[in-house]
Amino acid sequence: MPPPTYREPLEAAEIIQLFGQLTLHQQAALMRLMSRNLVIKTDSEEIMGYELDFNVDGALVAATTASEED
C-alpha cells in the first residue's frame, strides 16, 4: 500500500494541459527549472541550459544567454 501522500504520475496529455493553463511568467519559471537538464547543440557550439535566461517578451518566452554578473 503506497503512503497517503503518493500521487499517480501524470500522463503526457495531463502535463500538456497543465502547461497550457500556466501564465507566461509561470512557464518561464518552469523552463528555468527544466533547463538544468538541457543542452542545445548547434553546428558550432553547445549551450548548457543553465547558461540561459528565460524571460517573458511580449507574448513569448525568450531564452537568451545569461550575462555574467559581477
Side-chain angles (χ1 to χ4, degrees), residues 17-37:
Q17 179 185 12
L18 174 64
F19 191 80
Q21 294 172 353
L22 299 176
T23 67
L24 284 176
H25 292 280
Q26 291 169 326
Q27 289 178 11
L30 185 57
M31 288 177 178
R32 284 185 206 103
L33 289 173
M34 294 185 316
S35 70
R36 296 175 185 179
N37 300 322

Side-chain angles (χ1 to χ4, degrees), residues 10-19:
L10 296 176
E11 297 293 325
E14 295 170 303
I15 299 294
I16 293 168
Q17 179 185 12
L18 174 64
F19 191 80

